[in-house]
Amino acid sequence: MSKAGAFDLASGVGGKIEKTEVLSAVEKYEKYHVCYGGEEEERKANYTDMVNKYYDLVTSFYEFGWGESFHFAPRWKGESLKESIKRHEHFLALQLGLKPGQKVLDVGCGIGGPLREIARFSSTSVTGLNNNEYQITRGKALNRIAGVDKTCNFVKADFMKMPFPDNSFDAVYAIEATCHAPDAYGCYKEIYRVLKPGQCFAAYEWCMTDAFDPNNQEHKKIKAEIEIGDGLPDIRFTKQCLEALKQVGFEVMWEKDLVVDSPLPWYMPLDTSHFSLSSFRLTSVGRFMTRNMVKALEFVGLAPKGSQRVQDFLEKAAEGLVAGGRKEIFTPMYFFLARKPHSDKSASE
């Protein structure tokens, strides 16, 4: 199924970027971020280029460490990371009330791990929207292997300007993806437009919580590490997402930070004090081995120059995510279920 080997990781670094251009792409990506003198407004203005470079550079690492689904999940004691991720995806499908034969949109679908799982779980047809060509190529190959290529497809497009007619989908969801949007209102407005009246949009959002203090230097450092390590122009507060949904015209059915009810810390897979055989590559030992493997592959020319730099900012991201989780200033699973009214009287007009 997913890529698993060291040479697959090495060959995939850079995605569709020419291997000789990977290092310069890394340098350009880093310059967008505050750690390197970049500005938030520049990141927002150039979000398409920034996010595309990010996913070209990191997708191979993500797939090597996480498998096909690049997201966190609430986790029960005795439950593996893989099991918790599947349950998290099933929960989303159940909240949307998906029914066989419905047409569903996955906004920011990655390589389609959740798309395939939700399609099989609910017997629906899922379209994955993604602006990264490399991820779409991987997703199509994995769809064929999984046998869902007849009912599930990918569309390359910007989720701020979707190429779909109004009222096209029976349901829309996003899993830790719309955090890449430079503006929540603009993104949610497009989702509202393509969703059929009376139907629902559900998402897991990456957000800063009310515990985040913008005047606290440590908090700001953690936020910046997450942003550079995860290709984000800015991280919104939960209340900003909620307000944007309402301004667009959605009826918010319910919303909650699901971190609160997770029996085990959501950041446990990245916590260096935790060891797990089932998610070994994400542990401190596994990451140490990956770091040295990438260094060696880059040295002998099997991985492009700049691969180690990608590994470095992903390490910083992991540190920021764990610190943000421990201090409860960041959540990767602010959940909401919102409905487009039957009357379709948008508050955004």
Side-chain angles (χ1 to χ4, degrees):
M1 293 295 287
S2 280
K3 291 185 180 180
F7 291 103
D8 288 323
L9 168 62
S11 65
V13 175
K16 292 291 183 180
I17 299 170
E18 290 292 330
K19 300 308 178 187
T20 55
E21 299 297 320
V22 168
L23 180 57
S24 62
V26 173
E27 290 171 343
K28 184 173 181 182
Y29 170 75
E30 288 177 338
K31 286 178 182 176
Y32 281 123
H33 289 273
V34 68
C35 307
Y36 299 87
E39 297 292 336
E40 180 185 320
E41 289 309 311
E42 183 183 6
R43 295 197 298 274
K44 288 182 176 180
N46 297 283
Y47 76 95
T48 300
D49 180 63
M50 183 188 73
V51 174
N52 249 310
K53 278 188 171 54
Y54 175 77
Y55 279 112
D56 271 329
L57 293 168
V58 307
T59 294
S60 188
F61 284 94
Y62 272 25
E63 198 172 344
F64 183 76
W66 287 90
E68 296 177 27
S69 294
F70 308 156
H71 63 82
F72 294 98
R75 191 167 166 187
W76 294 95
K77 293 178 180 178
E79 186 178 45
S80 71
L81 175 62
K82 186 176 181 180
E83 289 169 339
S84 70
I85 284 173
K86 282 195 173 190
R87 181 174 49 76
H88 202 45
E89 293 164 357
H90 294 174
F91 176 84
L92 194 72
L94 290 170
Q95 290 301 310
L96 284 168
L98 299 185
K99 297 178 177 60
Q102 285 188 323
K103 188 178 177 183
V104 182
L105 178 65
D106 181 331
V107 177
C109 61
I111 62 171
L115 176 156
R116 286 181 287 279
E117 186 62 36
I118 287 174
R120 289 178 295 202
F121 178 73
S122 60
S123 298
T124 52
S125 297
V126 186
T127 295
L129 184 75
N130 192 327
N131 210 22
N132 184 270
E133 187 178 344
Y134 176 67
Q135 288 197 332
I136 288 177
T137 300
R138 282 292 300 145
K140 286 180 177 178
L142 292 168
N143 273 9
R144 287 192 293 271
I145 293 169
V148 299
D149 52 312
K150 298 293 190 295
T151 55
C152 297
N153 68 311
F154 294 90
V155 173
K156 185 180 185 301
D158 183 347
F159 52 37
M160 302 296 286
K161 294 171 282 191
M162 297 186 196
F164 307 118
D166 295 356
N167 310 322
S168 296
F169 294 95
D170 298 300
V172 180
Y173 68 84
I175 300 179
E176 301 182 21
T178 46
C179 51
H180 291 293
D183 167 41
Y185 173 85
C187 181
Y188 295 164
K189 184 178 180 181
E190 272 294 271
I191 290 169
Y192 185 98
R193 180 183 66 78
V194 303
L195 182 63
K196 292 179 181 178
Q199 302 304 307
C200 290
F201 165 45
Y204 298 125
E205 280 279 13
W206 279 32
C207 293
M208 305 312 294
T209 69
D210 290 340
F212 175 77
D213 179 0
N215 297 313
N216 182 307
Q217 291 304 309
E218 185 181 11
H219 286 193
K220 288 170 68 176
K221 178 176 178 289
I222 290 169
K223 180 174 180 283
E225 286 177 343
I226 296 172
E227 286 168 351
I228 186 171
D230 294 285
L232 305 178
D234 184 30
I235 307 176
R236 290 175 280 274
F237 284 88
T238 54
K239 57 191 174 188
Q240 290 176 306
C241 293
L242 190 61
E243 184 59 29
L245 285 168
K246 293 176 180 177
Q247 286 178 346
V248 165
F250 278 112
E251 297 173 349
V252 179
M253 311 300 290
W254 73 282
E255 47 84 29
K256 184 175 183 178
D257 181 2
L258 299 185
V259 163
V260 176
D261 292 332
S262 181
L264 295 176
W266 62 267
Y267 54 83
M268 192 169 72
L270 299 177
D271 190 344
T272 54
S273 65
H274 172 71
F275 183 82
S276 169
L277 287 175
S278 65
S279 53
F280 175 74
R281 290 173 176 173
L282 297 175
T283 65
S284 57
V285 178
R287 279 152 53 188
F288 174 80
M289 292 175 66
T290 301
R291 184 163 57 250
N292 283 284
M293 175 191 70
V294 170
K295 186 176 182 180
L297 290 170
E298 184 173 336
F299 179 77
V300 299
L302 291 174
K305 288 183 179 180
S307 297
Q308 183 60 51
R309 292 269 286 273
V310 178
Q311 173 75 9
D312 288 343
F313 70 66
L314 287 175
E315 284 286 330
K316 278 293 181 187
E319 292 170 10
L321 288 166
V322 172
R326 284 178 175 162
K327 292 186 175 296
E328 300 181 349
I329 62 172
F330 169 80
T331 175
M333 55 187 86
Y334 173 59
F335 174 81
F336 57 75
L337 178 68
R339 183 172 60 193
K340 179 177 179 176
H342 284 283
S343 60
D344 189 18
K345 290 180 180 178
S346 174
S348 62
E349 295 301 326

